[in-house]
Amino acid sequence: NAGVMQNPRHLVRRRGQEARLRCSPMKGHSHVYWYRQLPEEGLKFMVYLQKENIIDESGMPKERFSAEFPKEGPSILRIQQVVRGDSAAYFCASSPGQGVAGELFFGEGSRLTVL
Amino acid sequence: QKEVEQNSGPLSVPEGAIASLNCTYSDRGSQSFFWYRQYSGKSPELIMSIYSNGDKEDGRFTAQLNKASQYVSLLIRDSQPSDSATYLCAVIKRGTGFQKLVFGTGTRLLVSP
């Protein structure tokens, strides 16, 4: 499967724990985007990364959230000290570059539940 | 005002009918527009893109763009039950450097047999 791979698909955490979500982009894609989707809401942009660089993190909360896309390995979205409001589906998308910025390929998402 | 607005629905149409999904956007300078389909519990999937005023057809799907009215629509002809999903309108938001894709909240379409 050469698509965008996300894991875990489902993650349950208790308040105060850490959540780590991983995303491997499609083969040949070097641009990764993270979006959050709350129930009955649209996709909210969080962060855009290229290898070893954060390009735009304007949609990411200033505290507790961080993202990286290292030279080797998947992109990781990290949420520290989770709260119930963090419960959502987190989607990763990739694209080959800036050529057509709106044509994104999405992974199946990671659904975080905070107890 | 939301950057991208859609009626949440649900929009219910009988099988074989035309489904019309609408979207308005606030940034008059936007140039690129997209429709994504999302089945329940699944990931969004790009189905149409449109960049110029007028109509763009792809199979049973037609995207329509009117930049003067800041209005984008998606028509689905001969609707099938398998078209039942949430349709997300998305617009490129201009900014310095990075162009961000902004989504509406989506319209839920129900096609009854």
Side-chain angles (χ1 to χ4, degrees):
Chain A
N1 185 348
V4 179
M5 303 299 292
Q6 288 189 248
N7 68 82
R9 295 289 309 278
H10 300 275
L11 182 63
V12 179
R13 285 288 179 265
R14 296 190 180 279
R15 282 178 296 171
Q17 291 183 319
E18 178 179 290
R20 285 197 180 207
L21 311 177
R22 290 175 290 277
C23 169
S24 295
M26 283 183 71
K27 188 175 181 180
H29 287 190
S30 58
H31 297 240
V32 166
Y33 310 78
W34 285 93
Y35 283 81
R36 177 164 64 177
Q37 187 173 41
L38 293 167
E40 307 305 322
E41 293 190 15
L43 291 156
K44 301 293 186 188
F45 169 79
M46 297 183 74
V47 62
Y48 162 45
L49 310 105
Q50 296 178 20
K51 285 283 187 182
E52 300 185 278
N53 283 304
I54 297 174
I55 307 301
D56 185 324
E57 55 182 349
S58 59
M60 203 152 66
K62 295 287 188 289
E63 298 179 352
R64 303 188 298 109
F65 286 72
S66 62
E68 63 176 3
F69 190 14
K71 186 177 180 181
E72 302 290 338
S75 174
I76 295 175
L77 179 66
R78 181 184 179 202
I79 311 172
Q80 296 177 288
Q81 300 176 331
V82 297
V83 300
R84 289 214 173 110
D86 297 332
S87 296
Y90 292 84
F91 286 97
C92 170
S94 73
S95 72
Q98 279 287 321
V100 187
E103 295 187 4
L104 303 182
F105 296 83
F106 282 85
E108 290 295 325
S110 291
R111 282 154 181 83
L112 172 65
T113 301
V114 180
L115 302 178
Chain B
Q1 182 185 9
K2 289 184 179 179
E3 293 174 295
V4 181
E5 293 214 51
Q6 296 181 256
N7 188 319
S8 61
L11 173 66
S12 296
V13 300
E15 183 175 358
I18 296 175
S20 178
L21 304 160
N22 305 314
C23 170
T24 58
Y25 59 95
S26 61
D27 183 357
R28 183 170 289 278
S30 296
Q31 299 293 322
S32 306
F33 308 87
F34 306 85
W35 284 98
Y36 282 76
R37 177 177 63 198
Q38 186 176 24
Y39 291 111
S40 181
K42 298 296 185 181
S43 60
E45 173 192 17
L46 178 66
I47 55 172
M48 289 286 286
S49 59
I50 186 166
Y51 306 98
S52 304
N53 275 331
D55 295 0
K56 179 182 177 183
E57 187 174 318
D58 183 0
R60 294 187 297 111
F61 297 97
T62 298
Q64 299 175 318
L65 174 61
N66 183 327
K67 291 184 180 179
S69 300
Q70 297 176 235
Y71 181 88
V72 193
S73 65
L74 180 70
L75 301 179
I76 306 175
R77 290 182 300 281
D78 188 24
S79 295
Q80 301 297 309
S82 59
D83 294 325
S84 298
T86 296
Y87 290 79
L88 302 167
C89 175
V91 176
I92 293 287
K93 179 181 173 67
R94 294 175 306 160
T96 53
F98 168 54
Q99 294 180 314
K100 184 185 309 181
L101 189 62
V102 179
F103 286 85
T105 54
T107 298
R108 188 171 163 219
L109 173 66
L110 297 175
V111 182
S112 53

